[in-house]
């Protein structure tokens, strides 16, 4: 999705903006642009396409103040004119924007009547003209007046030749942070863009406006400094051909980080510092709603099974995009859990606002520190996966499931989970990173399997109980990165519909570890076999019998049933990744998708 970078300091702004934009490329974009205050004549360059296509022709503007943007089109087609920065009639005010101005049409009609000339179809352009209209010598005042008139969401950065020694930034429901360096300041929509310059950041809150000047900055309210905990190199490929495979391979460490210091094996519970302040309130909770989108929702579905089975709390998973539009029955004993890698997904945030209005306890399970979900929930668990750059979520997913297992322990032990059960779960959780490492050693075999199946255009993924969400996520991943049609289906539902699709051209990936539903899965596999469908099974090590029934087997080690999805997802992620690479796709940035979906 759209990305913003701005710089003000003593160095030439352009190379810094360019490097920052490149670090935001992973979010997906269709056009980009820069504006640098270069002496008397502001420099402007905006184009559709990828930055690398134009790098040779970039001029080298002077100027130590500038803003830049990657656009992922929402309002207005993908054209040079619709790319940001947008400007006013006199080309003196330049602005980049993430978000949507909902009442732009009405404002635009009014401004046209007043004589403003528009250059694009983009909703953002109304902001630059409104600032022009309200400008009386002070840029932040003009921005403040402008924002009073607009409805919608925004993270903006504005520069102007008419008040040149500053960048004015503001946010409402769209992430924006200030990077505080030595005699230099950056603004960005994502920490990845500032991390090479500084790790000292201030996350802006909604309705705040900040002014960055060459030697100082101010915000309308005092804000504490926070430190980005990611290492610089974590957001780089480290020799891997793609971020996707790097992030899949990082899972032993990312899971280790999720669990570090949190497993109290003797007490059979989890130490979750982020929940301590509200633990008494959590003790009284009688119901849970888990709200998320996409892959995070699949992790949430695993959580639903865990929380009901082991914490004995009724739990229900909602799609954040639907939540506001149905009439959820929520009483005061319900807590809502928001699962999100980015912590910035617009639908998840909108659901969070809705829940907060109803006065419920809200918890976040989030990766990005300081993100909106993290800040706006009452309490939460950081999953500590480190930066996830590839659009398709992998390491964050397994850490989300591990964090939900920790939450299950925490809430379960507050209720009637026996000590021995708590100890069993903590001990098994502690082994998970090592088991994941073992599965990753099968990468070459899984690549061969992807080669064998690369000409199939349809896949069925089936699983039951805990591995129903695994099947959903396996299908989600191969759709995302390999553009292969796939269905994620409950094994037991097959005969009610999907079986009609099965023939020798429609392979099935059956997730069938040796657990309480193994026999049932065998019946489903037989049903497929009888229709001539090729089958790849994900089975538990030592199960030799399955080889007689299916075409190919990927083995995973034995663990507790509730933790199996963490292990079973690893080969499915590898299979999707290799399938995408073999089909020649840009696996890190799948077409039409974006990393952080900040529009509804
Ligand atoms: C899938 C994927 C998306 C996200 C979804 C939610 O690989 O990346 O489906 O899971 O957009 O994003 P977050 O977790 O940032 O809220």
């Amino acid at each position: 999705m759209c990305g913003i970078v701005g710089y003000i300091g003593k160095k030439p702004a352009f190379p810094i903006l360019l490097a920052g934009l490149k670090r935001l490329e992973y979010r997906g974009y269709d056009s980009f642009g820069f504006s640098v205050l270069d002496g008397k004549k502001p420099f402007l360059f905006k184009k559709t396409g990828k930055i690398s296509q134009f790098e040779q022709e970039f001029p080298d503007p002077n100027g130590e103040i500038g803003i830049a943007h990657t656009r992922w089109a929402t309002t207005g087609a993908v054209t040079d004119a619709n790319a940001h920065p947008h400007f006013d009639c006199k080309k003196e005010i330049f602005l980049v924007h993430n978000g949507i101005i909902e009442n732009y049409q009405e404002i635009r009609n009014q401004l046209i009547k007043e004589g403003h000339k528009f250059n694009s179809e983009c909703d953002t352009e109304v902001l630059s003209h409104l600032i022009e209209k309200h400008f009386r010598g002070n840029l932040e005042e003009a921005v403040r007046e402008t924002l009073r008139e607009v409805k919608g969401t925004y993270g903006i950065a504005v520069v102007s030749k008419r008040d040149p020694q500053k960048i004015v930034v503001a946010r409402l429901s769209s992430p924006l942070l200030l990077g505080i360096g030595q005699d230099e300041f950056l603004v960005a929509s994502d920490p990845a863009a500032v991390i090479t310059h500084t790790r000292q950041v201030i996350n802006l809150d909604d309705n705040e406006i900040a002014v960055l000047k060459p030697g100082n900055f101010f915000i309308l309210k005092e804000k504490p400094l926070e430190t980005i905990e990611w290492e610089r190199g974590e957001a780089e490929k480290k020799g891997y051909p793609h971020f996707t495979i790097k992030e899949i391979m990082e899972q032993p460490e990312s899971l280790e980080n999720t669990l570090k210091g949190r497993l109290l094996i003797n007490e059979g519970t989890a130490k979750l510092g982020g929940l301590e302040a509200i633990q008494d309130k959590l003790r009284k909770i009688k119901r849970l709603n888990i709200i998320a989108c996409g892959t995070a929702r699949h992790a949430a579905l695993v959580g639903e099974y865990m929380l009901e089975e082991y914490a004995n709390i009724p739990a229900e998973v909602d799609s954040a995009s639907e939540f506001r539009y149905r009439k959820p029955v929520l009483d005061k004993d319900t807590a809502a859990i928001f699962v999100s890698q980015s912590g910035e997904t617009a639908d998840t945030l909108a659901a969070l606002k809705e829940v907060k209005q109803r006065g419920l306890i809200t918890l976040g399970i989030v990766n990005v520190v300081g993100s909106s979900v993290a800040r706006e929930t009452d309490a939460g668990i950081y999953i500590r996966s480190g930066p996830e750059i590839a659009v398709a979520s992998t390491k964050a997913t397994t850490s989300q499931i591990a964090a939900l297992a920790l939450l299950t322990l925490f809430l379960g032990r507050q209720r009637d989970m026996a000590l021995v059960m708590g100890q069993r779960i903590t001990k098994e959780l502690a082994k998970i990173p090592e088991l994941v490492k073992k599965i990753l050693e099968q990468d070459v075999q899984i690549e061969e399997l992807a080669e064998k199946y690369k000409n199939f255009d349809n896949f069925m993924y089936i699983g039951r109980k805990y591995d129903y969400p695994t099947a959903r996520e396996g299908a989600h991943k191969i759709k995302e990165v390999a553009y292969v049609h796939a269905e994620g289906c409950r094994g037991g539902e097959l005969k009610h519909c999907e079986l009609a699709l099965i023939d020798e051209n429609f392979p099935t990936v059956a997730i069938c570890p040796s657990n309480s539903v193994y026999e049932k899965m065998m019946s489903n596999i037989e049903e497929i076999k009888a229709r001539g469908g090729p089958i790849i099974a994900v089975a538990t090590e030592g199960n030799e019998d399955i080889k007689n029934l299916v075409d190919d087997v990927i083995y995973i080690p034995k663990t507790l049933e509730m933790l199996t999805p963490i292990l079973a997802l690893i080969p499915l992620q590898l299979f999707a990744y290799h399938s995408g690479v073999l089909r020649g796709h840009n696996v890190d940035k799948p077409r039409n998708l974006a990393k952080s979906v900040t529009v509804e």
Side-chain angles (χ1 to χ4, degrees), residues 293-296 339-343 345 391-393 400 476-477 480 597:
C293 291
T295 287
V339 186
S340 174
Q341 187 286 128
S342 62
T345 301
V391 166
S393 185
Q400 284 162 348
H476 191 95
K477 222 60 329 160
E480 254 184 321
V597 185

Side-chain angles (χ1 to χ4, degrees), residues 362-384:
T362 56
L363 305 180
I365 295 187
V366 174
N367 191 28
V368 179
V369 175
S371 58
S372 302
V373 172
R375 285 179 301 129
E376 288 175 24
T377 41
D378 297 313
I381 307 172
Y382 277 123
I383 63 169
R384 305 181 189 152

